[in-house]
């Protein structure tokens, strides 16, 4: 993105991005893309940042479903957004958040999903973002054009204003001079300014990670889900190189003088496929020798240290032990396993709650645009965003628990079937046999 101070100056709005936050967001993006500064020479990335973000996304959305009640068109629009959200959610977690920006087209309402490092927040009220600038860049020939889209919500006047301005530059990464929107064919129909009235909330939504910002406490922006584990991630990448070097340097080799080899075309003839095992030397003092180099491999200590680093990462990012580290080394006691799973459960629940609030805000913007451009007025829609409850519990364990409750007559069988098949109680009743024979599922017999 173009320098935030340039954008703020051009739009005459305050810049809420500090130098520290800009630097950290660049670091988080490099880590996610496996381009950390310490990746050089023999050190390679273990892809840990991307794995963390993808795992938290999986836990957050694994049972996610969305239902918009009594609004079929909006439900279809939301269903089109969800695949994009799943695709971009992991990068949003890695960079600190996402901007969900609805807009209206001839095909209906759509939503742009913008990562936190690709928009500029310019105003907050009670920790709620009321104004953002979204830059869009395009190149035509030797010119680079940037459209700055400013959204400003006024709580006092209950208006939402959108301003669009275009800039032309001869080099990428700079705004250059202002020009007409007509200079870019794709933006020729974009209005320079549009004011929407009687707006109860901003027409965009922001999802942020639930952690407090310990990079810049004065900044309202979110932080990466692996922000507290950056140093440990570097330790893991560097230590993995040590493990590879230990394995490589301890490879078995046979050292022998040149006279013990057969030669062809001036080169020693070595067993096919085993060339790297043999090393030839010149005779010293006229003596021939053959030695086997086979040192002890210290892999156990190296892998144990690597596993301990992974555990530090899991603890720092809020994942349960065994997500990245080796399970055989971490399941020491039932209480430790339970505690780490509870940590992961709490972490994911916080993310889900923030995402739910953002989706509800997004839905408000989608309905407003649809009503406005369809010249209609409809009551506020209600939606159910269900994330499920399988983050903490093992489904097999939960199944056995509920079966036992039915056997103990603490739970009606039709409620168990409704849970298992995710259906209504009435449909579950129709599934049940008319008579439960002895030895059946709920009578204490064998399953």
């Amino acid at each position: 993105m173009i320098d935030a101070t340039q954008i703020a100056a051009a739009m005459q709005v305050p810049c809420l991005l500090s130098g520290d936050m800009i630097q950290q967001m660049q670091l988080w993006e490099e880590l996610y893309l496996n381009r950390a500064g310490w990746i050089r020479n023999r050190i390679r990335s273990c892809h840990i940042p991307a794995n963390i973000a993808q795992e938290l996304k999986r836990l957050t959305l694994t049972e996610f479903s969305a239902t918009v009640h009594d609004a079929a068109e909006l439900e279809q629009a939301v269903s089109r957004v969800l695949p994009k959200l799943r695709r971009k959610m992991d990068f949003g977690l890695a960079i600190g958040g996402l901007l969900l920006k609805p807009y209206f087209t001839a095909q209906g309402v759509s939503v742009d999903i913008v990562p936190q490092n690709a928009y500029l927040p310019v105003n907050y009220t009670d920790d709620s973002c009321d104004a953002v600038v979204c830059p869009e860049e395009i190149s035509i020939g030797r010119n680079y054009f940037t459209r700055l889209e400013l959204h400003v919500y006024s709580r006092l006047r209950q208006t939402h204003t959108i301003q669009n301005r275009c800039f032309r530059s001869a080099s990428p990464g700079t705004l250059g001079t202002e020009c007409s929107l007509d200079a870019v064919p794709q933006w020729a129909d974009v209005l320079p300014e549009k004011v929407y009235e009687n707006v109860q909330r901003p027409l965009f939504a922001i999802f942020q990670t639930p952690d407090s910002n310990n990079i810049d406490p004065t900044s309202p922006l979110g932080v990466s889900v692996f922000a507290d584990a950056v140093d440990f991630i570097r330790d893991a990448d560097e230590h993995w190189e040590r493990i590879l070097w230990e394995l490589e340097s301890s490879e078995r080799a046979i050292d022998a003088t040149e006279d013990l080899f057969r030669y062809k075309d001036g080169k020693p003839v070595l067993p096919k496929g085993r060339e790297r095992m043999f090393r030839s030397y010149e005779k010293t003092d006229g003596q021939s020798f053959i030695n086997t180099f086979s040192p002890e491999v210290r892999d156990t200590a190296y892998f144990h240290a690597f596993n301990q680093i992974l555990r530090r990462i899991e603890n720092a990012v809020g994942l349960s032990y065994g997500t990245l580290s080796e399970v055989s080394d971490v399941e020491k006691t039932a209480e430790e396993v339970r505690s780490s799973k509870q940590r992961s459960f709490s972490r994911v629940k916080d993310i889900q709650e923030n995402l739910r609030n953002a989706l509800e805000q997004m839905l408000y913007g989608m309905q407003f645009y649809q009503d406005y451009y369809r010249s209609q007025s409809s009551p506020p829609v209600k939606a159910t965003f269900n994330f499920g409850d399988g983050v903490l519990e093992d489904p097999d364990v939960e199944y056995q628990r509920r079966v036992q409750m039915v056997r103990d007559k603490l739970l009606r069988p039709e409620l168990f079937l409704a849970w298992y098949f995710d259906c209504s109680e009435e449909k579950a009743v129709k599934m049940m046999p008319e008579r439960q024979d002895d030895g059946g599922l709920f009578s204490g017999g064998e399953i």
Side-chain angles (χ1 to χ4, degrees), residues 93 95 100 121 134 156 180 267 335 337 370 377 415 421 430:
L93 292 170
I95 208 68
L100 309 175
C134 300
L156 180 62
S180 172
K267 296 181 180 180
E335 182 60 31
V337 174
Q370 180 173 279
S377 178
L415 293 180
F421 291 105
K430 295 179 181 179

Side-chain angles (χ1 to χ4, degrees), residues 65-323:
S65 62
T67 304
V68 181
H69 305 288
D70 302 322
E73 190 172 358
L74 276 178
E75 185 166 31
Q76 291 177 1
V78 170
S79 67
R80 292 193 297 268
V81 175
L82 297 184
K84 294 195 296 183
L85 178 64
R86 291 181 181 275
R87 187 169 61 252
K88 297 186 178 183
M89 183 67 178
D90 49 344
F91 185 58
L93 292 170
I95 208 68
L98 294 169
L99 170 69
L100 309 175
K101 184 166 63 72
Y103 62 96
F104 191 83
T105 66
Q107 289 73 37
V109 183
S110 297
V111 178
D112 275 341
I113 301 179
V114 185
Q116 182 175 264
N117 65 338
Y119 70 88
L120 176 65
V122 296
N123 185 52
Y124 279 80
T125 303
D126 296 331
D127 291 333
S128 177
C129 186
D130 289 342
V132 295
V133 179
C134 300
E136 181 181 357
E137 300 175 68
I138 190 171
S139 62
I140 300 178
R142 296 184 178 181
N143 292 317
Y144 298 86
F145 295 87
T146 303
R147 180 172 65 90
L148 298 182
E149 182 178 284
L150 172 64
H151 290 251
V152 179
Y153 173 67
S154 172
R155 294 174 181 267
L156 180 62
R157 296 187 297 271
Q158 290 193 334
T159 60
H160 187 104
T161 304
I162 301 178
Q163 295 180 359
N164 287 279
R165 296 171 66 182
C166 185
F167 297 82
R168 178 194 286 115
S169 174
S171 58
T174 59
L175 281 179
T177 58
E178 188 168 3
C179 64
S180 172
L181 289 164
D182 296 336
V184 180
Q186 295 91 322
W187 301 337
D189 295 332
V190 176
L191 295 176
E193 182 170 329
K194 176 67 177 178
V195 179
Y196 299 94
E197 298 180 346
N198 300 320
V199 184
Q200 306 300 317
R201 289 184 278 175
L203 298 180
F204 58 82
I206 289 182
F207 161 74
Q208 289 182 342
T209 55
D211 299 329
S212 60
N213 192 326
N214 58 358
I215 306 298
D216 181 4
T218 62
S219 174
L221 295 176
V223 297
S224 171
V225 290
F226 50 76
D228 291 337
V230 172
D231 291 337
F232 294 135
I233 292 171
R234 177 170 185 168
D235 292 340
D237 288 344
E238 292 178 344
H239 191 72
W240 184 249
E241 190 278 330
R242 298 187 188 101
I243 292 176
L244 296 180
W245 173 246
E246 173 66 18
L247 297 176
E248 180 181 341
S249 62
S250 59
E251 282 186 341
R252 179 178 300 174
I254 296 177
D255 300 327
T257 52
E258 295 175 337
D259 62 306
L260 298 180
F261 293 92
R262 291 187 298 107
Y263 276 77
K264 183 178 181 180
D265 299 329
K267 296 181 180 180
V269 178
L270 304 177
K272 189 174 182 180
R274 298 289 186 270
E275 291 86 355
R276 62 187 291 178
M277 183 182 294
F278 294 88
R279 298 180 296 200
S280 61
Y281 296 87
E282 295 181 357
K283 276 187 177 183
T284 56
D285 299 330
Q287 297 293 323
S288 299
F289 69 87
I290 181 169
N291 294 321
T292 301
F293 176 76
S294 182
E296 180 182 358
V297 182
R298 301 169 296 174
D299 58 329
T300 301
Y302 275 89
F303 277 110
H304 176 73
F306 184 69
N307 210 46
Q308 290 300 313
I309 296 173
L310 294 181
R311 293 192 67 182
R312 298 296 185 273
I313 295 174
E314 290 168 336
N315 185 68
V317 304
L319 288 173
S320 60
Y321 292 142
T323 305

Side-chain angles (χ1 to χ4, degrees), residues 347-361:
R347 174 72 155 169
V348 172
K349 280 296 183 183
D350 289 342
I351 294 174
Q352 290 174 342
E353 188 60 29
N354 282 16
L355 182 58
R356 186 197 313 275
N357 294 336
L359 291 174
E360 290 175 350
Q361 175 75 13

